[in-house]
Amino acid sequence: MKSAFNKKYFTDLKKLKWAHNLKGLKKMPPIVLSRHDETDYIHSYGENSPFFAGLAHNEILGTRCRKCKTKFATPRLSCLQCGTDCNWFLLPKTGRIHSWTKCYFGGESFLKETPYFLILVEFKGVNSLLLSRLKGVKDEKHVEINMEVEAHFSKKPKYEITDLWFEKK
Amino acid sequence: MRPVYMISGGVSKFAKSRNRLTFQAMVKEAFSYAMRDCPKLQLEHIDGSIASYFSDHFQGQLMAGIMAHDYLGLCPKPSKRVEGGGATGGLCFQAAYEAVASGRMEVCVAFGFETMSRVRTWKGNELIALASDTNFDYPLGGFYTGYYAMMVVRHMHEFGTTVEQMAKVSVKNHTNALHNPYAQKPMMISVQDVLESPMVAYPLKRLDICLMSDGAACVILASEKAAKRFGKKDIRISGIGTGTDAMRLSDRPHGKVPLLAHESASDYRNMRYPGVHSCRAGRMAAIEAYQMAGIKNPLHDLSFVELHDAYTSSEIQTYEDLGLCKYGEGGMFIDSGAPEIGGTCPVNPSGGLLACGHPIGATGLMQAVFSFWQLQGSIREHFGSAKLQVRNPRRGLIHSHAGTGTYVTVSILERD
């Protein structure tokens, strides 16, 4: 497999010199090679699976603590406040921007998507937020905290969090 | 718990790439420096070690900790690894403290390292982002700078913090590092340079963000008896604290501020805390450490602070978490000049992560070593210049921080 690095990072093994002198070995430059690593995983959403099934049916599911009634926009089946089990409920499809950024870079596999907007969405009466992408906007001058946004869903769901995004309402 | 002393420390130069050495040899460089600086201490006096490194992905080697421990000649003595993201170094320091304070060890070595040069920068960013929820957060961008950008956008909205104030932090730390030979990227820069550097994630620019590094650091802690025996009973660890918060930024509550001794509830009547603008874990770590060390007013009781400035914005947030100023006043605090060398409480006199680099597992231990030298008054000896020496320091604070504020440690070092 061809390395993603420029070959200048690696030792030219054809030109590697052997000192024939044991005393000089501690000064030898390092041998630098390429190593490749690739793994396919079996990934399970476990108890969070209904959320991803919901996105495929144009619904956003949150959770609510059975005891202290805290409502979570990013689902968790165990309450952050009191550790009690939570139940599912349907979130509204509109919310407001709690915070945002425009990313000009990202993790390597996301670079092709740059620039992209990340937003934290707040929903009325819900105690926690939901991280998502904001689409349909190019200029950050048109984005601000408290701006109303509405949910959009992928027509070809991949059962990933990216099946959901928000656009300006 | 019994008193614990720091008796020596060493740092192996932080750089973009240190590929002339394996990670074990880098650790040994820092360890040998520490041993030379405490000549009465011999290998046989060391009871065990704690290893600090964050990512198995960067090292490409599982159980790397034992490989460094055996390289130092410490087998078959006890050792273990601690890991908690960016706070790994701080957690390692505290684990070594606990080993000595509990009476299990008389002398314990804490060593840390990271070899981040082995992958490309953006691959490195992707690997780091695996320390965010891989179901709900990571697939949206795999990018920590994006998360911190959202935190500071909210901080700006709540408190009026400005990009100029953030840039001042960058200028302070990069110029401090001009006198620190261990620093990866000392720079003489201006606020304008920071503001004109390339945008990475609004409003964070290239010069608002720390570097990826190779490097190692090592700290040696001892009981009172052992510290006396090795002639190094000067610097005591007088307080430790650790706070936590939910991994996901979106889960952070909006409640009340946990108060420090010098604050009152009326300071924060309308604040919804911590939200995404503040770090509850940092505040909780400070409360625990200050109680133990008897610190009532941190700004006046601390001679200096070495804190986890992975971003200029996180330095401003941390001023507030540590109570150097009130919540919302972090921007004004840098404007006031208080955290500059020669100010009321110099912050990151070493140059911090922004200029020294951030080889994750080594970073929190590097802070301990620089603070130890500050309190000893030996900065000239170790840096070759006394420009960064804080005058007559009595007490220093080190602060190590993981995730978007998930694990945070605060430790207090004090002249006895």
Side-chain angles (χ1 to χ4, degrees):
Chain A
M1 175 112 189
K2 198 170 170 282
S3 171
F5 275 101
N6 187 307
K7 65 180 180 186
K8 72 176 181 186
Y9 288 101
F10 306 114
T11 306
D12 186 343
L13 297 169
K14 283 179 198 145
K15 290 184 186 165
L16 192 66
K17 281 183 189 146
W18 177 241
H20 295 291
N21 176 0
L22 296 184
K23 280 183 189 158
L25 291 183
K26 283 199 170 177
K27 287 184 181 157
M28 180 181 158
I31 296 176
V32 183
L33 308 168
S34 168
R35 277 193 182 175
H36 184 71
D37 183 15
E38 201 170 288
T39 314
D40 281 323
Y41 287 89
I42 295 172
H43 188 79
S44 169
Y45 287 126
E47 73 281 5
N48 295 317
S49 299
F51 175 84
F52 296 94
L55 296 184
H57 292 89
N58 296 1
E59 297 287 2
I60 319 171
L61 285 166
T63 60
R64 180 171 182 255
C65 175
R66 287 169 59 185
K67 190 170 154 200
C68 75
K69 312 298 180 198
T70 302
K71 283 182 176 175
F72 298 99
T74 312
R76 47 183 302 143
L77 274 291
S78 177
C79 179
L80 178 75
Q81 304 294 344
C82 67
T84 307
D85 284 353
C86 298
N87 290 332
W88 293 100
F89 77 99
L90 284 175
L91 281 163
K93 287 172 195 167
T94 59
R96 289 177 186 276
I97 292 180
H98 183 81
S99 196
W100 65 276
T101 184
K102 185 180 186 183
C103 295
Y104 293 81
F105 294 91
E108 191 169 78
S109 48
F110 301 92
L111 287 175
K112 57 185 184 297
E113 298 166 28
T114 58
Y116 56 84
F117 284 90
L118 290 180
I119 54 171
L120 286 162
V121 184
E122 58 180 54
F123 300 93
K124 205 176 176 188
V126 180
N127 303 88
S128 82
L129 308 167
L130 181 65
L131 180 63
S132 194
R133 288 267 186 104
L134 177 71
K135 294 188 185 175
V137 186
K138 281 209 173 118
D139 194 337
E140 60 246 54
K141 289 193 185 88
H142 302 134
V143 182
E144 56 186 16
I145 286 176
N146 288 330
M147 192 175 100
E148 267 200 283
V149 289
E150 64 182 4
H152 287 255
F153 301 88
S154 173
K155 290 194 172 68
K156 291 177 186 163
K158 291 184 176 146
Y159 297 86
E160 292 278 357
I161 187 73
T162 44
D163 288 347
L164 167 71
W165 68 90
F166 287 78
E167 293 182 16
K168 193 171 181 173
K169 200 183 161 183
Chain B
M1 285 196 294
R2 57 181 185 162
V4 178
Y5 290 79
M6 179 160 169
I7 61 170
S8 198
V11 175
S12 179
K13 168 81 179 163
F14 291 5
K16 186 173 177 166
S17 172
R18 293 282 316 268
N19 72 5
R20 293 191 72 93
L21 297 178
T22 61
F23 66 86
Q24 302 98 301
M26 255 182 352
V27 170
K28 188 167 180 188
E29 209 170 72
F31 176 71
S32 300
Y33 191 98
M35 291 299 280
R36 280 198 302 278
D37 205 34
C38 185
K40 288 185 189 167
L41 179 70
Q42 301 299 311
L43 203 61
E44 70 214 45
H45 301 130
I46 294 170
D47 296 311
S49 79
I50 318 279
S52 163
Y53 59 101
F54 161 57
S55 175
D56 295 322
H57 295 95
F58 282 120
Q59 256 68 244
Q61 169 71 61
L62 297 185
M63 287 179 71
I66 188 59
M67 293 172 73
H69 178 82
D70 84 36
Y71 202 79
L72 300 182
L74 291 172
C75 286
K77 294 168 183 178
S79 185
K80 67 182 170 196
R81 171 202 188 175
V82 297
E83 190 277 308
T88 301
L91 290 166
C92 176
F93 182 81
Q94 296 189 348
Y97 169 91
E98 286 154 3
V100 176
S102 67
R104 186 183 179 197
M105 296 187 196
E106 292 298 318
V107 180
C108 182
V109 174
F111 64 80
F113 59 92
E114 210 79 44
T115 50
M116 304 175 79
S117 68
R118 309 298 155 91
V119 296
R120 280 167 301 170
T121 299
W122 302 113
K123 186 68 187 178
N125 273 277
E126 193 180 298
L127 295 176
I128 289 169
L130 291 172
S132 61
D133 189 319
T134 55
N135 289 341
F136 294 97
D137 294 344
Y138 173 86
L140 292 163
F143 198 31
Y144 251 93
T145 303
Y147 308 153
Y148 273 83
M150 288 186 289
M151 291 167 80
V152 73
V153 164
R154 191 71 200 189
H155 199 279
M156 293 161 86
H157 174 82
E158 295 279 338
F159 308 127
T161 310
T162 65
V163 288
E164 287 78 11
Q165 289 167 333
M166 289 154 60
K168 283 182 185 176
V169 172
S170 177
V171 170
K172 167 177 75 66
N173 295 358
H174 282 102
T175 51
N176 284 355
L178 290 167
H179 309 287
N180 178 354
Y182 290 95
Q184 181 173 338
K185 207 153 192 184
M187 278 191 278
M188 183 59 89
I189 49 168
S190 66
V191 165
Q192 205 56 32
D193 293 331
V194 182
L195 296 178
E196 287 171 3
S197 64
M199 188 66 81
V200 178
Y202 172 87
L204 296 171
K205 297 162 207 83
R206 181 61 204 87
L207 290 174
D208 286 302
I209 306 169
C210 72
L211 304 156
M212 295 210 190
S213 318
D214 287 357
C218 175
V219 160
I220 306 179
L221 303 185
S223 67
E224 190 170 6
K225 200 176 97 187
K228 213 174 192 172
R229 181 175 169 200
F230 304 121
K232 295 277 185 179
K233 198 178 97 46
D234 323 291
I235 316 299
R236 188 167 54 89
I237 296 147
S238 60
I240 63 165
T242 313
T244 59
D245 217 328
M247 175 66 122
R248 303 189 305 217
L249 206 46
S250 49
D251 276 350
R252 302 292 161 80
H254 291 80
K256 285 194 175 133
V257 181
L259 300 173
L260 290 170
H262 68 293
E263 296 177 325
S264 67
S266 62
D267 294 339
Y268 302 122
R269 225 166 247 142
N270 298 315
M271 189 173 295
R272 298 170 72 226
Y273 182 88
V276 298
H277 51 73
S278 298
C279 297
R280 184 168 62 153
R283 175 46 70 96
M284 296 309 287
I287 289 174
E288 191 189 355
Y290 292 171
Q291 267 174 4
M292 191 169 159
I295 291 171
K296 297 279 190 292
N297 185 340
L299 183 60
H300 294 99
D301 295 348
L302 294 168
S303 312
F304 65 91
V305 168
E306 287 285 342
L307 64 78
H308 193 100
D309 56 328
Y311 302 91
T312 52
S313 52
S314 37
E315 177 159 325
I316 288 175
Q317 292 172 307
T318 305
Y319 296 154
E320 302 172 358
D321 296 328
L322 297 178
L324 299 178
C325 59
K326 294 209 169 93
Y327 276 111
E329 295 177 356
M332 286 180 271
F333 188 71
I334 182 73
D335 282 341
S336 78
E340 308 275 349
I341 296 273
T344 322
C345 180
V347 176
N348 287 325
S350 69
L353 283 57
L354 283 169
C356 291
H358 183 20
I360 308 175
T363 303
L365 296 170
M366 164 202 81
Q367 295 172 326
V369 177
F370 292 158
S371 299
F372 177 71
W373 292 341
Q374 283 287 3
L375 290 164
Q376 278 192 324
S378 64
I379 287 290
R380 180 192 294 279
E381 186 190 321
H382 297 285
F383 283 7
S385 149
K387 284 233 167 85
L388 300 176
Q389 178 68 57
V390 176
R391 279 204 199 147
N392 302 316
R394 201 173 86 75
R395 210 188 243 145
L397 180 151
I398 54 175
H399 162 274
S400 196
H401 170 118
T404 49
T406 45
Y407 293 111
V408 181
T409 67
V410 168
S411 305
I412 312 289
L413 285 81
E414 196 161 325
R415 277 197 76 83
D416 231 11

